[in-house]
Amino acid sequence: MPTGMSERIWTAALVVIGDEILSGRTQDKNVAQIATWLNVQGIRLVEVRVVADRTAAIVEAVNSLRARNDYLFTTGGIGPTHDDITVDAISEALGVGVVHHPRAMEALERYYATRGGLTEVRARMARVPDGATLIDNRVSGAPGIRVGNVFIMAGVPNITAGMLDTLTGTLEGGRPVVSRTVGCWVAESEVADLLARTERAHEGVSVGSYPFFRDGRVGANFVVRSADPAAADACAADLARTLEAEGREVAGEGI
């Protein structure tokens, strides 16, 4: 790179949508989760706004923040009920109509086939701004949505985590992300604090947890991700050492 030129910094903003956040009934966990994930991608979260479930508030926030950042993420308000207005509000902000995405309808039909069937209310979760693509969601049936530089995600943190997982390494401007896997025969809940401490101790690293039940035993694969291979290696080694120090059975490349 020529002297005097600095590396372009890609930026993102987040709009957290929901009356329950503003009232204090629900504590938001997505700001920290999305900030950490973006950091691993090499993209900087530069502003966050919390808005009520009001169309005008969502439209104003979306249009101002998407204009001055490379990416805009939103969380909340994409469920099946009448007060889930995010898709309609963002469509209004973008000046497009709302359509039922055929692939979203298929995903919801599969998900609800054994859960009482796809009702008209549940089909609301297949509504997207016209021209949008989907963000796969392996946790529940309803996918996330991408339209232009706007990413529309769930408010429930573990569902958001699954959507972020799908997007890992795919955003332009982000550095390539490497991953390391540590497998362990342990119940995920028993090591949740240990995982959080390990992630906090390693800058620019995220740790994802993927539990399973196999051969009558519970276990989990912990996936360490970073744009810095050395940081990923150090975090994975630290995690394996800490688990073994607690007497856990660890598999270096995952189970």
Side-chain angles (χ1 to χ4, degrees), residues 128-220:
V128 303
D130 199 3
T133 57
L134 302 182
I135 304 167
D136 287 339
N137 164 17
R138 303 181 191 98
V139 179
S140 68
I145 303 160
R146 177 177 185 171
V147 53
N149 69 335
V150 180
F151 297 81
I152 307 167
M153 313 189 91
V156 180
N158 70 314
I159 297 177
T160 309
M163 293 177 181
L164 292 173
D165 219 35
T166 300
L167 290 172
T168 292
T170 66
L171 299 195
E172 185 188 357
R175 298 188 298 272
V177 176
V178 300
S179 64
R180 306 287 183 260
T181 303
V182 177
C184 189
W185 293 102
V186 65
E188 180 187 38
S189 58
E190 291 178 26
V191 293
D193 289 345
L194 185 156
L195 295 175
R197 283 197 309 273
T198 305
E199 185 178 73
R200 281 197 301 272
H202 294 266
E203 181 68 27
V205 171
S206 72
V207 181
S209 178
Y210 304 90
F212 58 80
F213 182 77
R214 202 174 298 161
D215 304 326
R217 303 172 74 191
V218 293

Coordinates of all heavy atoms in Angstrom, one line a residue, residues 128-220:
V128 N -41.3 -10.3 2.8 CA -40.0 -9.6 2.7 C -40.2 -8.4 1.8 O -41.1 -8.3 1.0 CB -38.9 -10.5 2.1 CG1 -38.8 -11.8 2.9 CG2 -39.3 -10.8 0.6
P129 N -39.3 -7.4 1.9 CA -39.3 -6.3 0.9 C -39.1 -6.9 -0.5 O -38.2 -7.7 -0.6 CB -38.2 -5.4 1.4 CG -38.0 -5.7 2.8 CD -38.3 -7.2 3.0
D130 N -39.7 -6.4 -1.5 CA -39.6 -6.9 -2.8 C -38.1 -6.7 -3.3 O -37.5 -5.7 -3.1 CB -40.5 -6.1 -3.8 CG -40.7 -6.8 -5.1 OD1 -40.2 -7.9 -5.3 OD2 -41.4 -6.2 -6.0
G131 N -37.5 -7.8 -3.8 CA -36.1 -7.8 -4.2 C -35.2 -8.3 -3.2 O -34.0 -8.4 -3.4
A132 N -35.7 -8.7 -2.0 CA -34.8 -9.2 -0.9 C -34.4 -10.6 -1.2 O -35.0 -11.4 -1.9 CB -35.6 -9.1 0.4
T133 N -33.2 -11.0 -0.5 CA -32.8 -12.4 -0.5 C -32.9 -12.8 1.0 O -33.0 -12.0 1.9 CB -31.3 -12.5 -1.0 OG1 -30.5 -11.6 -0.2 CG2 -31.2 -12.2 -2.4
L134 N -32.7 -14.1 1.2 CA -32.9 -14.6 2.6 C -31.6 -14.9 3.3 O -30.6 -15.2 2.6 CB -33.7 -15.9 2.5 CG -35.1 -15.8 1.9 CD1 -35.8 -17.2 2.0 CD2 -36.0 -14.7 2.6
I135 N -31.6 -14.8 4.6 CA -30.5 -15.3 5.4 C -31.0 -16.5 6.2 O -31.9 -16.5 7.0 CB -30.1 -14.2 6.5 CG1 -29.8 -12.8 5.8 CG2 -28.9 -14.6 7.3 CD1 -29.7 -11.7 6.7
D136 N -30.3 -17.7 5.9 CA -30.8 -18.9 6.5 C -30.8 -18.9 8.0 O -29.9 -18.3 8.6 CB -29.9 -20.1 6.0 CG -30.2 -20.4 4.5 OD1 -31.3 -20.1 4.0 OD2 -29.4 -21.0 3.9
N137 N -31.8 -19.5 8.5 CA -31.9 -19.6 10.0 C -32.1 -21.1 10.3 O -33.2 -21.7 10.0 CB -33.1 -18.8 10.4 CG -33.6 -19.1 11.8 OD1 -32.9 -19.7 12.6 ND2 -34.8 -18.7 12.1
R138 N -31.1 -21.7 10.9 CA -31.2 -23.1 11.3 C -31.8 -23.4 12.6 O -32.0 -24.5 13.0 CB -29.8 -23.8 11.2 CG -29.0 -23.5 9.9 CD -27.7 -24.2 9.9 NE -26.9 -23.8 8.7 CZ -26.0 -22.8 8.8 NH1 -25.8 -22.2 9.9 NH2 -25.3 -22.5 7.7
V139 N -32.2 -22.3 13.3 CA -32.7 -22.5 14.7 C -34.2 -22.6 14.7 O -34.8 -23.5 15.3 CB -32.2 -21.3 15.6 CG1 -32.8 -21.4 17.0 CG2 -30.7 -21.2 15.6
S140 N -34.9 -21.7 13.9 CA -36.3 -21.8 13.8 C -36.7 -21.6 12.3 O -35.8 -21.4 11.5 CB -37.0 -20.7 14.7 OG -36.7 -19.4 14.2
G141 N -37.9 -21.7 12.0 CA -38.3 -21.7 10.6 C -38.1 -20.4 9.9 O -37.8 -20.3 8.7
A142 N -38.3 -19.2 10.6 CA -38.3 -17.9 9.9 C -36.9 -17.4 9.5 O -36.1 -17.3 10.4 CB -39.0 -16.9 10.8
P143 N -36.6 -17.2 8.3 CA -35.3 -16.7 7.9 C -35.1 -15.2 8.2 O -36.1 -14.5 8.4 CB -35.3 -17.0 6.4 CG -36.7 -16.9 6.0 CD -37.5 -17.3 7.1
G144 N -33.9 -14.8 8.1 CA -33.6 -13.4 8.1 C -33.6 -12.9 6.7 O -33.8 -13.6 5.8
I145 N -33.5 -11.6 6.5 CA -33.7 -10.9 5.2 C -32.5 -10.0 4.9 O -32.1 -9.2 5.8 CB -35.0 -10.2 5.2 CG1 -36.2 -11.1 5.6 CG2 -35.3 -9.5 3.9 CD1 -37.4 -10.3 6.1
R146 N -32.1 -10.0 3.7 CA -31.1 -9.0 3.2 C -31.7 -8.3 2.0 O -32.2 -8.9 1.1 CB -29.8 -9.7 2.8 CG -28.8 -8.6 2.3 CD -27.4 -9.2 1.9 NE -26.6 -8.1 1.5 CZ -25.3 -8.2 1.3 NH1 -24.7 -9.3 1.4 NH2 -24.5 -7.1 1.0
V147 N -31.7 -7.0 2.1 CA -32.1 -6.2 0.9 C -31.1 -5.0 0.8 O -31.0 -4.2 1.7 CB -33.6 -5.7 1.1 CG1 -33.9 -5.1 2.4 CG2 -34.0 -4.9 -0.1
G148 N -30.4 -5.0 -0.3 CA -29.4 -4.0 -0.4 C -28.3 -4.1 0.7 O -27.8 -5.2 0.9
N149 N -28.0 -3.1 1.4 CA -27.0 -3.1 2.5 C -27.7 -3.3 3.8 O -27.1 -3.0 4.9 CB -26.1 -1.9 2.4 CG -26.8 -0.6 2.8 OD1 -28.0 -0.5 2.7 ND2 -26.0 0.3 3.3
V150 N -29.0 -3.7 3.8 CA -29.7 -3.8 5.1 C -30.0 -5.3 5.4 O -30.4 -6.0 4.5 CB -31.1 -3.1 5.0 CG1 -31.9 -3.2 6.3 CG2 -30.9 -1.6 4.6
F151 N -29.7 -5.6 6.6 CA -29.8 -7.0 7.1 C -30.9 -7.0 8.2 O -30.7 -6.4 9.3 CB -28.5 -7.6 7.6 CG -27.4 -7.7 6.6 CD1 -26.7 -6.5 6.2 CD2 -27.2 -8.9 5.9 CE1 -25.7 -6.6 5.2 CE2 -26.2 -8.9 5.0 CZ -25.5 -7.8 4.6
I152 N -32.0 -7.7 8.0 CA -33.1 -7.7 8.9 C -33.1 -9.0 9.7 O -33.3 -10.1 9.1 CB -34.5 -7.5 8.1 CG1 -34.4 -6.3 7.2 CG2 -35.6 -7.4 9.1 CD1 -35.5 -6.2 6.2
M153 N -32.9 -8.9 11.0 CA -32.7 -10.1 11.8 C -33.7 -10.2 13.0 O -34.3 -9.2 13.3 CB -31.3 -10.1 12.3 CG -30.3 -9.8 11.2 SD -28.6 -10.1 11.6 CE -28.4 -11.7 11.1
A154 N -33.7 -11.4 13.5 CA -34.6 -11.7 14.7 C -34.2 -10.9 15.9 O -33.0 -10.5 16.0 CB -34.6 -13.2 15.0
G155 N -35.1 -10.7 16.8 CA -34.8 -10.1 18.1 C -34.3 -11.1 19.1 O -33.6 -10.7 20.1
V156 N -34.6 -12.4 19.0 CA -34.2 -13.4 19.9 C -32.7 -13.7 19.7 O -32.4 -14.2 18.6 CB -35.1 -14.7 19.7 CG1 -34.7 -15.8 20.7 CG2 -36.6 -14.4 19.9
P157 N -31.9 -13.5 20.7 CA -30.4 -13.6 20.5 C -29.9 -14.9 19.9 O -29.0 -14.9 19.1 CB -29.9 -13.4 21.9 CG -30.9 -12.5 22.6 CD -32.2 -13.1 22.1
N158 N -30.5 -16.1 20.4 CA -29.9 -17.3 19.8 C -30.3 -17.5 18.4 O -29.6 -18.1 17.6 CB -30.3 -18.5 20.7 CG -31.7 -18.9 20.6 OD1 -32.6 -18.0 20.6 ND2 -32.0 -20.2 20.4
I159 N -31.4 -16.9 18.0 CA -31.8 -17.0 16.5 C -31.0 -16.0 15.7 O -30.5 -16.4 14.6 CB -33.3 -16.7 16.4 CG1 -34.2 -17.8 17.1 CG2 -33.7 -16.7 14.9 CD1 -35.6 -17.6 17.1
T160 N -30.7 -14.9 16.3 CA -29.8 -13.9 15.6 C -28.4 -14.5 15.4 O -27.8 -14.4 14.4 CB -29.7 -12.6 16.5 OG1 -31.0 -12.1 16.8 CG2 -28.9 -11.6 15.8
A161 N -28.0 -15.3 16.4 CA -26.6 -15.9 16.4 C -26.6 -16.9 15.2 O -25.5 -16.9 14.5 CB -26.3 -16.7 17.7
G162 N -27.6 -17.6 15.0 CA -27.6 -18.5 13.8 C -27.6 -17.8 12.5 O -27.0 -18.3 11.5
M163 N -28.3 -16.7 12.4 CA -28.3 -15.9 11.2 C -26.9 -15.3 10.9 O -26.4 -15.3 9.8 CB -29.3 -14.8 11.3 CG -30.8 -15.3 11.3 SD -32.0 -14.0 11.5 CE -33.5 -14.9 11.5
L164 N -26.2 -14.8 12.0 CA -24.9 -14.3 11.9 C -23.9 -15.3 11.4 O -23.0 -15.1 10.6 CB -24.4 -13.7 13.2 CG -25.1 -12.4 13.7 CD1 -24.7 -12.1 15.1 CD2 -24.9 -11.2 12.7
D165 N -24.1 -16.5 11.9 CA -23.3 -17.7 11.5 C -23.3 -17.9 10.0 O -22.3 -18.1 9.4 CB -23.8 -18.9 12.2 CG -22.7 -19.8 12.7 OD1 -21.7 -19.3 13.1 OD2 -22.9 -21.0 12.7
T166 N -24.5 -17.8 9.5 CA -24.7 -18.0 8.0 C -24.0 -16.9 7.2 O -23.5 -17.2 6.1 CB -26.2 -17.9 7.7 OG1 -26.9 -18.9 8.4 CG2 -26.5 -18.1 6.2
L167 N -23.9 -15.7 7.8 CA -23.3 -14.6 7.1 C -21.8 -14.5 7.3 O -21.1 -13.7 6.6 CB -23.9 -13.3 7.6 CG -25.3 -13.0 7.2 CD1 -25.8 -11.7 7.9 CD2 -25.4 -12.8 5.7
T168 N -21.2 -15.3 8.2 CA -19.8 -15.2 8.5 C -18.9 -15.3 7.3 O -19.1 -16.3 6.5 CB -19.4 -16.3 9.5 OG1 -20.0 -16.0 10.8 CG2 -17.9 -16.4 9.7
G169 N -18.0 -14.4 7.1 CA -17.1 -14.4 6.0 C -17.7 -14.0 4.6 O -17.0 -14.1 3.6
T170 N -18.9 -13.5 4.6 CA -19.6 -13.2 3.3 C -19.6 -11.7 3.0 O -20.0 -11.4 1.9 CB -21.0 -13.8 3.2 OG1 -21.8 -13.1 4.2 CG2 -21.0 -15.3 3.5
L171 N -19.4 -10.8 4.0 CA -19.6 -9.4 3.7 C -18.3 -8.8 3.1 O -17.2 -9.0 3.5 CB -19.8 -8.7 5.0 CG -21.1 -9.1 5.8 CD1 -21.4 -8.0 6.9 CD2 -22.3 -9.3 4.9
E172 N -18.6 -8.0 2.0 CA -17.5 -7.3 1.3 C -16.9 -6.3 2.3 O -17.6 -5.7 3.1 CB -18.1 -6.6 0.1 CG -17.0 -5.9 -0.7 CD -17.6 -5.0 -1.8 OE1 -18.8 -5.0 -2.0 OE2 -16.8 -4.4 -2.5
G173 N -15.6 -6.2 2.2 CA -14.9 -5.3 3.1 C -14.4 -6.0 4.4 O -13.5 -5.5 5.1
G174 N -15.0 -7.1 4.7 CA -14.5 -7.9 5.8 C -13.2 -8.7 5.5 O -13.0 -9.0 4.3
R175 N -12.4 -8.9 6.4 CA -11.2 -9.8 6.2 C -11.7 -11.2 6.2 O -12.7 -11.6 6.8 CB -10.2 -9.5 7.3 CG -9.7 -8.1 7.3 CD -8.5 -7.9 8.3 NE -8.8 -8.3 9.7 CZ -9.3 -7.4 10.5 NH1 -9.6 -6.1 10.2 NH2 -9.6 -7.7 11.8
P176 N -10.9 -12.1 5.5 CA -11.3 -13.5 5.5 C -11.2 -14.1 6.9 O -10.3 -13.7 7.7 CB -10.2 -14.2 4.6 CG -9.6 -13.1 3.8 CD -9.8 -11.8 4.6
V177 N -12.2 -14.8 7.3 CA -12.3 -15.3 8.6 C -11.9 -16.8 8.7 O -12.3 -17.6 7.8 CB -13.8 -15.2 9.1 CG1 -14.0 -15.9 10.5 CG2 -14.2 -13.8 9.2
V178 N -11.0 -17.1 9.6 CA -10.6 -18.5 9.8 C -11.3 -19.1 11.0 O -11.7 -18.4 11.9 CB -9.1 -18.7 9.9 CG1 -8.3 -18.1 8.7 CG2 -8.6 -18.0 11.2
S179 N -11.4 -20.4 11.0 CA -12.1 -21.0 12.2 C -11.3 -22.2 12.7 O -10.6 -22.9 11.9 CB -13.5 -21.5 11.8 OG -13.5 -22.5 10.8
R180 N -11.3 -22.5 14.0 CA -10.7 -23.6 14.6 C -11.8 -24.3 15.5 O -12.6 -23.6 16.1 CB -9.5 -23.2 15.5 CG -8.5 -22.4 14.8 CD -7.6 -23.2 13.8 NE -6.6 -22.4 13.2 CZ -6.6 -21.9 12.0 NH1 -7.7 -22.1 11.3 NH2 -5.6 -21.2 11.5
T181 N -11.8 -25.6 15.5 CA -12.9 -26.3 16.3 C -12.3 -27.1 17.4 O -11.3 -27.8 17.2 CB -13.7 -27.2 15.3 OG1 -14.2 -26.5 14.3 CG2 -14.8 -27.9 16.1
V182 N -12.9 -27.0 18.6 CA -12.5 -27.8 19.7 C -13.8 -28.6 20.1 O -14.8 -27.9 20.4 CB -12.1 -26.9 20.9 CG1 -11.8 -27.8 22.1 CG2 -10.8 -26.1 20.5
G183 N -13.7 -29.9 20.1 CA -14.9 -30.7 20.5 C -14.7 -31.1 22.0 O -13.6 -31.3 22.5
C184 N -15.8 -31.3 22.6 CA -15.8 -31.7 24.0 C -17.1 -32.5 24.4 O -18.2 -32.1 24.0 CB -15.6 -30.5 24.9 SG -15.3 -30.9 26.7
W185 N -16.9 -33.6 25.1 CA -18.0 -34.3 25.7 C -18.5 -33.7 26.9 O -18.0 -34.0 28.0 CB -17.7 -35.8 25.9 CG -17.4 -36.5 24.6 CD1 -16.2 -36.9 24.1 CD2 -18.4 -37.0 23.7 NE1 -16.3 -37.5 22.9 CE2 -17.7 -37.6 22.6 CE3 -19.8 -37.0 23.6 CZ2 -18.3 -38.2 21.5 CZ3 -20.4 -37.5 22.5 CH2 -19.7 -38.1 21.5
V186 N -19.3 -32.7 26.8 CA -19.8 -31.9 27.9 C -21.1 -31.2 27.6 O -21.3 -30.9 26.4 CB -18.7 -30.8 28.3 CG1 -18.6 -29.8 27.2 CG2 -19.1 -30.1 29.7
A187 N -22.0 -31.1 28.6 CA -23.2 -30.3 28.3 C -22.8 -28.8 28.2 O -22.1 -28.3 29.0 CB -24.2 -30.5 29.5
E188 N -23.4 -28.2 27.1 CA -23.0 -26.8 26.8 C -23.3 -25.9 28.0 O -22.5 -25.0 28.3 CB -23.9 -26.4 25.6 CG -23.7 -25.0 25.2 CD -24.8 -24.6 24.1 OE1 -25.9 -25.0 24.3 OE2 -24.4 -23.9 23.2
S189 N -24.4 -26.1 28.8 CA -24.7 -25.3 29.9 C -23.6 -25.3 31.0 O -23.5 -24.3 31.7 CB -26.0 -25.7 30.5 OG -26.0 -27.0 30.9
E190 N -22.9 -26.4 31.1 CA -21.9 -26.5 32.2 C -20.7 -25.7 31.9 O -19.9 -25.4 32.8 CB -21.5 -28.0 32.3 CG -22.5 -28.9 32.9 CD -22.1 -30.4 32.9 OE1 -20.9 -30.6 33.0 OE2 -22.9 -31.3 32.9
V191 N -20.5 -25.3 30.7 CA -19.2 -24.5 30.3 C -19.5 -23.2 29.7 O -18.6 -22.5 29.2 CB -18.3 -25.3 29.4 CG1 -17.8 -26.6 30.1 CG2 -19.0 -25.7 28.1
A192 N -20.8 -22.7 29.9 CA -21.2 -21.4 29.3 C -20.3 -20.3 29.8 O -19.8 -19.4 29.0 CB -22.6 -21.1 29.5
D193 N -20.1 -20.2 31.1 CA -19.2 -19.2 31.7 C -17.8 -19.2 31.2 O -17.2 -18.2 30.9 CB -19.3 -19.2 33.2 CG -20.7 -18.8 33.8 OD1 -21.4 -18.2 33.0 OD2 -20.9 -19.1 35.0
L194 N -17.3 -20.5 31.2 CA -15.9 -20.7 30.7 C -15.7 -20.2 29.3 O -14.8 -19.5 28.9 CB -15.6 -22.2 30.8 CG -14.2 -22.7 30.5 CD1 -14.0 -24.0 31.2 CD2 -14.0 -22.9 29.0
L195 N -16.7 -20.5 28.4 CA -16.7 -20.0 27.0 C -16.7 -18.5 26.9 O -15.9 -17.9 26.2 CB -17.9 -20.6 26.2 CG -17.9 -22.1 26.0 CD1 -19.2 -22.4 25.3 CD2 -16.7 -22.6 25.3
A196 N -17.5 -17.9 27.7 CA -17.6 -16.4 27.7 C -16.3 -15.8 28.2 O -15.8 -14.8 27.6 CB -18.8 -15.9 28.6
R197 N -15.7 -16.3 29.3 CA -14.5 -15.8 29.8 C -13.3 -15.9 28.7 O -12.5 -15.0 28.5 CB -14.0 -16.6 31.1 CG -14.8 -16.2 32.3 CD -14.0 -16.7 33.5 NE -13.6 -18.1 33.5 CZ -14.4 -19.0 33.9 NH1 -15.6 -18.8 34.3 NH2 -14.0 -20.3 33.9
T198 N -13.3 -17.1 28.1 CA -12.3 -17.3 27.0 C -12.4 -16.3 25.9 O -11.4 -15.8 25.4 CB -12.4 -18.8 26.5 OG1 -12.3 -19.7 27.6 CG2 -11.2 -19.1 25.5
E199 N -13.7 -16.1 25.4 CA -13.9 -15.2 24.3 C -13.5 -13.7 24.7 O -12.8 -13.0 24.0 CB -15.4 -15.2 24.0 CG -15.7 -14.3 22.7 CD -17.2 -14.4 22.4 OE1 -18.0 -13.8 23.1 OE2 -17.5 -15.0 21.4
R200 N -13.8 -13.3 26.0 CA -13.4 -12.0 26.5 C -11.9 -11.8 26.6 O -11.4 -10.7 26.4 CB -14.1 -11.7 27.8 CG -15.5 -11.3 27.8 CD -16.0 -10.7 29.1 NE -15.8 -11.5 30.2 CZ -16.7 -12.4 30.6 NH1 -17.8 -12.5 30.0 NH2 -16.5 -13.1 31.7
A201 N -11.2 -12.9 26.8 CA -9.7 -12.8 27.0 C -9.0 -12.7 25.7 O -7.8 -12.4 25.7 CB -9.3 -14.1 27.8
H202 N -9.7 -12.9 24.6 CA -9.0 -12.9 23.3 C -9.7 -11.9 22.4 O -10.8 -12.1 21.9 CB -9.0 -14.3 22.6 CG -8.2 -15.3 23.4 ND1 -6.9 -15.6 23.1 CD2 -8.5 -16.1 24.5 CE1 -6.5 -16.5 23.9 NE2 -7.4 -16.8 24.8
E203 N -9.0 -10.8 22.1 CA -9.5 -9.7 21.3 C -9.7 -10.2 19.9 O -8.9 -10.9 19.3 CB -8.5 -8.5 21.4 CG -8.9 -7.3 20.6 CD -10.1 -6.6 21.1 OE1 -10.3 -6.7 22.4 OE2 -10.8 -6.0 20.4
G204 N -10.8 -9.8 19.3 CA -11.0 -10.1 17.8 C -11.4 -11.5 17.6 O -11.2 -12.0 16.4
V205 N -11.9 -12.2 18.6 CA -12.2 -13.6 18.4 C -13.6 -13.9 18.9 O -14.1 -13.3 19.9 CB -11.2 -14.5 19.2 CG1 -11.7 -16.0 19.3 CG2 -9.8 -14.4 18.7
S206 N -14.4 -14.7 18.2 CA -15.7 -15.1 18.7 C -15.7 -16.6 18.9 O -15.0 -17.4 18.2 CB -16.8 -14.7 17.7 OG -16.8 -15.6 16.5
V207 N -16.5 -17.1 19.8 CA -16.6 -18.5 20.1 C -18.0 -18.9 20.0 O -18.9 -18.4 20.7 CB -16.1 -18.9 21.5 CG1 -16.2 -20.4 21.8 CG2 -14.6 -18.4 21.7
G208 N -18.3 -19.8 19.0 CA -19.7 -20.3 18.8 C -19.8 -21.7 19.4 O -18.8 -22.5 19.4
S209 N -21.0 -22.1 20.0 CA -21.2 -23.3 20.6 C -22.2 -24.1 19.9 O -23.3 -23.6 19.7 CB -21.6 -23.1 22.1 OG -21.8 -24.3 22.7
Y210 N -21.9 -25.4 19.5 CA -22.9 -26.2 18.8 C -23.1 -27.5 19.5 O -22.3 -28.5 19.2 CB -22.3 -26.4 17.3 CG -22.1 -25.0 16.7 CD1 -20.9 -24.4 16.8 CD2 -23.1 -24.4 16.1 CE1 -20.6 -23.1 16.3 CE2 -22.9 -23.1 15.5 CZ -21.7 -22.5 15.6 OH -21.5 -21.2 15.1
P211 N -24.1 -27.6 20.3 CA -24.3 -28.9 21.1 C -24.9 -30.0 20.2 O -25.5 -29.7 19.2 CB -25.3 -28.4 22.2 CG -26.0 -27.2 21.6 CD -25.1 -26.6 20.7
F212 N -24.7 -31.2 20.7 CA -25.2 -32.4 20.0 C -25.5 -33.5 21.0 O -25.0 -33.5 22.1 CB -24.3 -32.8 18.8 CG -22.9 -33.2 19.3 CD1 -22.6 -34.4 19.9 CD2 -21.9 -32.3 19.1 CE1 -21.4 -34.8 20.3 CE2 -20.6 -32.6 19.5 CZ -20.3 -33.9 20.1
F213 N -26.2 -34.5 20.6 CA -26.5 -35.7 21.3 C -26.1 -36.9 20.5 O -26.7 -37.0 19.4 CB -28.0 -35.7 21.8 CG -28.3 -36.9 22.6 CD1 -27.9 -37.0 24.0 CD2 -28.9 -38.0 22.1 CE1 -28.2 -38.1 24.8 CE2 -29.2 -39.1 22.9 CZ -28.9 -39.1 24.2
R214 N -25.1 -37.6 20.9 CA -24.6 -38.7 20.0 C -24.2 -39.9 20.8 O -23.6 -39.8 21.8 CB -23.4 -38.2 19.2 CG -23.1 -38.9 17.9 CD -21.9 -38.3 17.2 NE -22.3 -36.9 16.8 CZ -21.3 -36.0 16.5 NH1 -20.1 -36.3 16.5 NH2 -21.7 -34.8 16.1
D215 N -24.6 -41.1 20.3 CA -24.3 -42.4 21.0 C -24.7 -42.3 22.5 O -23.9 -42.8 23.4 CB -22.8 -42.7 20.9 CG -22.3 -42.7 19.4 OD1 -23.1 -43.2 18.6 OD2 -21.2 -42.3 19.1
G216 N -25.8 -41.7 22.8 CA -26.3 -41.6 24.2 C -25.5 -40.6 25.0 O -25.7 -40.6 26.3
R217 N -24.7 -39.8 24.4 CA -23.9 -38.8 25.2 C -24.1 -37.4 24.7 O -24.3 -37.2 23.5 CB -22.4 -39.1 25.1 CG -22.0 -40.5 25.6 CD -20.5 -40.7 25.3 NE -19.6 -40.0 26.2 CZ -18.3 -39.9 25.9 NH1 -17.8 -40.5 24.9 NH2 -17.5 -39.3 26.8
V218 N -24.1 -36.4 25.6 CA -24.2 -35.0 25.2 C -22.7 -34.5 25.0 O -21.8 -34.8 25.7 CB -24.9 -34.1 26.2 CG1 -26.4 -34.5 26.2 CG2 -24.3 -34.2 27.5
G219 N -22.6 -33.6 24.0 CA -21.3 -33.0 23.7 C -21.6 -31.7 23.0 O -22.7 -31.3 22.7
A220 N -20.5 -31.0 22.6 CA -20.6 -29.8 21.9 C -19.3 -29.5 21.1 O -18.2 -29.9 21.6 CB -20.9 -28.6 22.8

